[in-house]
Amino acid sequence: MLRTHTCGELTIKDLGKEITLTGWVQKSRDLGGMTFVDIRDRYGITQLAFNSDDDADLRAKARELGREFVISVKGTVIERSSKNLKIATGEIEIKVSKLDILNPAKLPPFLIEDETDGGDDLRMKYRYLDLRRNPVRNNLVLRHKMAQEVRRYLDGLDFIEVETPVLIKSTPEGARDFVVPSRMNPGEFYALPQSPQTFKQLLMVSGFDRYFQIVKCFRDEDLRADRQPEFTQIDCEMAFIEQEDILNVFEGLIKNLFKNVKGIDLGEVPRMQYADAMRLYGSDKPDTRFGMQFVELTEVVKGADFPVFDNAELVVGINAKGCAEYTRKQLDELTDFVKRPQVGATGLVYCRYNNDGSLKSSVDKFYSEDALKKWAAAFGAEAGDLMLVMAGPAEKVRKQLNELRLEMGNRLGLRDKNTFAPLWVLDFPLLEWDEESGRYHAMHHPFTSPKPEDISLLDSKPGEVRANAYDMVINGTEIGGGSIRIHDRELQALMFKHLGFSKEEAQKQFGFLMEAFEFGAPPHGGIAFGFDRLVSIFAGLDSIRDVIAFPKNNSGRDVMIDSPSTISEEQLKELSIKTSN
Ligand code: ASP
């Protein structure tokens, strides 16, 4: 090896040792008589010292070093006169006897420091330089540790990691597919998997029993902070189990990760019905780091001749504890917040429960203080609290109030990144009405089993059928989801029928799966976790970008390698793809 030690390991215990270090020049300071150079590798930084009694050539060479030059130095470990106790190597320095420049470097386009001056675009273009920075590298080290821990835990429970293909068939599973033209089959296309769903189910038919894979998945969706066109799942499936078994095994996985990677005891993960999550938080992924649950006031407020409330399907609010003294300006800000197109509410009603015990609302014209007392009772509000109330169609108003609740959580500092509130959300609806296509869609995916006791509702009230489906949520982010699957051909065919597939379409798309169910399919179920999201939560980041080595930007571009890109006419021809010209 070209080095005897790394740049992070020499300490006062190594005084007098003859060593060789290699790495990048972090910075160099020329103080006239002395030149100090910091050499860096992924393990740390060590100070190199050159002084006036050194050979003139050596000193001249040291002065030549620019930032990020790759160098090798031989020397002796000596004690530093001014120590830096903040870093592991801060008590020593290297008295250099030989310096080799292994490769000079152009000046990097941004500072390779923990706090950099590089903007997002520049850092993406030179991602390999950004990855030299501690915070970015640490995220990938964390990711590695978590992946190892996942493998260790699942291997310990007899799970087998199996690779499934990346060139598969286009199937409707929620998002748009990325497709790949097949040269050997002109006019035909592969699709990249949105998840290995059908393959893992087939592995259960094959008797693998417990499968997992840390696997790349692809979805051609519009991008957001927590979405990338390619992302990684911890994909899992088990046979001969019930929902309770899945919840236990994978709660164990998450608890293990928290314990062994972050040293945090998560405790038992609470469970909530989907219907309750929607009623109390207006979201299927409630942030339970704080309370502020919804309080329904429809009956309490009706009949006061306030048309907005009288005509509303639902009047619902939250109690912002201790916010009675919000200024007019702050209240206007909240009203503006809910009126933003992203939230889309028409207005916000507030009621202050003043410290002197009086009640004052923005709808005093319609509600006497006695009436407002009833509001306060419904909210369980106390003097000093602020009640925020919205009205409208139930589903819509719940969504809007969810946004306001999260905003209040932010304003009140109740969403601390170092607090972790996990939650299982259970019993999702099987189907969800899609306005655009005017039909029901599978809420999770078409292979999810309805609750046996709800199957009879499939014809009469499809929207009320519940599924054996579950999500794990941490701090308001969905980090995993899965279901007990259908393993019976007839039931699977019935599901496709309810999803609007003709017999022929179902056969064409999923005939292979339904046929497999006729060859001895065991009862099975599974789950998949969004690995990037999980790592970003562990790292305390809002975006998954920084836990991915080479991410794409918001337009789905890799600006470093400049992809996607056009391909040549020859390539297109070879792929039997016609162009317009
Ligand atoms: N394949 C599903 C998904 O990607 C997860 C599962 O049901 O296991 O969401």
Side-chain angles (χ1 to χ4, degrees), residues 173 195 197 200 219 233 235 444-445 481-483 485 526-528:
E173 204 189 324
S195 87
Q197 185 60 36
K200 67 174 172 175
R219 294 182 191 174
Q233 287 193 340
D235 191 45
H444 188 51
H445 51 53
S483 60
R485 324 298 185 191
I527 192 165

Side-chain angles (χ1 to χ4, degrees), residues 421-577:
L423 177 73
W424 282 115
V425 179
L426 306 178
D427 300 344
F428 274 75
L430 183 71
L431 303 167
E432 138 184 82
W433 182 254
D434 182 57
E435 283 296 339
E436 223 167 273
S437 56
R439 61 182 182 86
Y440 280 102
H441 280 238
M443 190 138 179
H444 188 51
H445 51 53
F447 319 109
T448 295
S449 172
K451 282 195 176 291
E453 63 268 33
D454 288 0
I455 292 182
S456 60
L457 297 174
L458 265 174
D459 278 317
S460 51
K461 299 177 186 152
E464 287 181 21
V465 178
R466 289 165 307 159
N468 277 323
Y470 31 79
D471 273 1
M472 188 183 267
V473 175
I474 297 182
N475 295 357
T477 299
E478 179 205 327
I479 57 140
S483 60
I484 299 299
R485 324 298 185 191
I486 294 167
H487 63 281
D488 170 82
R489 184 189 170 114
E490 293 313 314
L491 185 55
Q492 188 64 70
L494 183 69
M495 265 308 291
F496 286 133
K497 192 184 116 203
H498 281 282
L499 293 170
F501 284 73
S502 69
K503 259 204 169 124
E504 294 68 37
E505 279 169 339
Q507 185 56 33
K508 182 160 182 259
Q509 298 269 7
F510 296 113
F512 65 95
L513 186 68
M514 289 196 285
E515 188 176 14
F517 286 171
E518 293 179 302
F519 285 103
H524 61 285
I527 192 165
F529 291 94
F531 188 50
D532 314 279
R533 282 191 197 172
L534 197 56
V535 181
S536 69
I537 287 179
F538 271 54
L541 298 167
D542 296 322
S543 161
I544 62 170
R545 242 197 233 172
D546 274 342
V547 301
I548 296 173
F550 298 104
K552 308 224 175 350
N553 73 7
N554 281 346
S555 331
R557 296 201 69 82
D558 182 325
V559 292
M560 181 183 68
I561 61 172
D562 193 19
S563 161
S565 58
T566 52
I567 56 176
S568 70
E569 282 296 324
E570 278 105 276
Q571 279 174 298
L572 286 170
K573 219 164 121 201
E574 204 169 46
L575 295 167
S576 314
I577 294 179

Side-chain angles (χ1 to χ4, degrees), residues 319-335:
N319 181 20
K321 286 225 96 39
C323 296
E325 288 181 358
Y326 261 33
T327 59
R328 187 66 218 214
K329 184 164 163 273
Q330 283 172 304
L331 291 166
D332 286 347
E333 272 170 20
L334 292 181
T335 308

Side-chain angles (χ1 to χ4, degrees), residues 2 20-25 37 39 48 50 57-58 61-62 64-65 69-75 96-104:
L2 297 183
T20 305
L21 295 182
T22 52
W24 288 261
V25 172
V37 175
I39 180 172
L48 311 175
F50 303 83
D57 285 350
L58 181 63
K61 216 183 208 174
E64 257 172 52
L65 295 176
F69 274 40
V70 185
I71 60 171
S72 160
V73 291
K74 263 192 179 30
V96 179
S97 53
K98 186 164 184 288
L99 165 64
D100 286 315
I101 296 175
L102 303 180
N103 210 346

Side-chain angles (χ1 to χ4, degrees), residues 10-12 27 29 38 45-47 79-93:
L10 293 168
T11 67
I12 202 88
K27 63 175 181 229
R29 278 152 298 152
D38 283 346
I45 285 186
T46 301
Q47 178 165 294
E79 191 165 357
R80 255 202 229 187
S81 50
S82 67
K83 298 188 173 172
N84 174 0
L85 297 178
K86 281 197 219 117
I87 60 170
T89 61
E91 290 186 272
I92 58 107
E93 63 192 11

